[in-house]
Amino acid sequence: MALKLGFLASHEGSNFQAILDACRADALDAEPRVLISNNSSAPVIERARRAGVPAIHLSAHTHPDPTALDAAILRVLMEHEVDVVVLAGYMKKLGPRVLKHFHGRVLNIHPALLPKFGGVGMYGRYVHEAVLKAGEKVTGATVHLVTEEYDQGPAIAQREVPVVADDTPDTLAARVLEVEHALFVDTLARIARGEITLLSPNLSKT
Ligand code: GRF
């Protein structure tokens, strides 16, 4: 009954690794089926290969036409019989075909308590800089469903993280990232156990 996961990631892949480790440790009833990266030199590709997860580079370099890229991503996800698409630090927008086919089954993690500190330009360090600049005492992480607009899909899980007096964007990012790992694994585990129901009725189970 393992949930079949397809990942898209652009850089380091520490969230991907945390989910992979949880699957390997039987803490999460899921099977990483494929990783797609738009960045052929991303460390996440090496992490996938080491773990024996197929890693595929698909980007504007491999497919200059956005429609063809969208179709290629959809084909790979379908070929690997993916149930749920996990964006784990994916810096590109998904195309309309993938979003339509996987409607309600694409999850993203954001390093803040959405709807605060989300939207265009709010990624990575910029998020934590904005949180500190706003004088927030609490930030956090959000797992949400992905729609056409950045960070606008409904939140399905959030966890708070304290901001402390001498935080820098880097110290805050590190504290939030640890919580992201736990929250992402926990949210997927709740989906796998049927405690959270995603919109689509036809998750294929093995
Ligand atoms: C995380 O902070 C996540 O919230 C954001 O991108 C970062 C990815 O980190 N979407 P990693 O590649 O999983 O280490």
Side-chain angles (χ1 to χ4, degrees):
M1 298 291 276
L3 208 56
K4 295 174 196 148
L5 304 178
F7 294 85
L8 289 104
S10 301
H11 295 299
E12 183 53 43
S14 71
N15 277 286
F16 169 74
Q17 187 73 54
I19 294 165
L20 203 67
D21 292 348
C23 294
R24 298 286 186 262
D26 287 333
L28 167 58
D29 187 18
E31 194 189 331
R33 300 286 290 203
V34 66
L35 168 87
I36 297 169
S37 184
N38 60 303
N39 174 1
S40 61
S41 56
V44 69
I45 290 189
E46 190 46 40
R47 289 179 189 268
R49 294 207 167 125
R50 269 203 307 269
V53 175
I56 297 167
H57 170 223
L58 293 176
S59 70
H61 288 286
T62 62
H63 295 77
D65 171 18
T67 304
L69 177 59
D70 187 15
I73 291 174
L74 179 58
R75 193 161 52 243
V76 167
L77 294 171
M78 289 179 72
E79 273 168 11
H80 289 83
E81 300 176 338
V82 164
D83 294 319
V84 173
V85 178
V86 177
L87 304 190
Y90 186 57
M91 302 306 289
K92 298 286 174 186
K93 262 191 163 178
L94 285 175
R97 289 185 192 195
V98 171
L99 284 176
K100 180 158 184 262
H101 184 87
F102 286 98
H103 177 69
R105 291 187 287 152
V106 184
L107 305 182
N108 180 47
I109 190 147
H110 185 79
L113 296 174
L114 290 174
K116 284 174 148 184
F117 306 105
V120 178
M122 275 293 165
Y123 60 90
R125 193 185 169 83
Y126 298 114
V127 175
H128 306 295
E129 280 174 358
V131 167
L132 291 175
K133 198 168 169 210
E136 298 285 324
K137 297 282 176 272
V138 176
T139 183
T142 303
V143 175
H144 67 96
L145 294 174
V146 173
T147 56
E148 288 74 14
E149 299 306 320
Y150 278 119
D151 304 330
Q152 300 275 309
I156 56 177
Q158 289 191 311
R159 200 166 287 177
E160 293 186 349
V161 175
V163 179
V164 301
D166 52 358
D167 259 332
T168 65
D170 288 341
T171 60
L172 189 53
R175 194 175 314 117
V176 170
L177 189 60
E178 244 179 73
V179 170
E180 287 182 42
H181 297 162
L183 181 66
F184 224 169
V185 167
D186 186 51
T187 305
L188 287 165
R190 287 166 64 201
I191 292 167
R193 290 196 298 267
E195 294 169 18
I196 296 174
T197 307
L198 298 184
L199 296 181
S200 174
N202 60 343
L203 286 186
S204 67
K205 301 274 188 174
T206 49

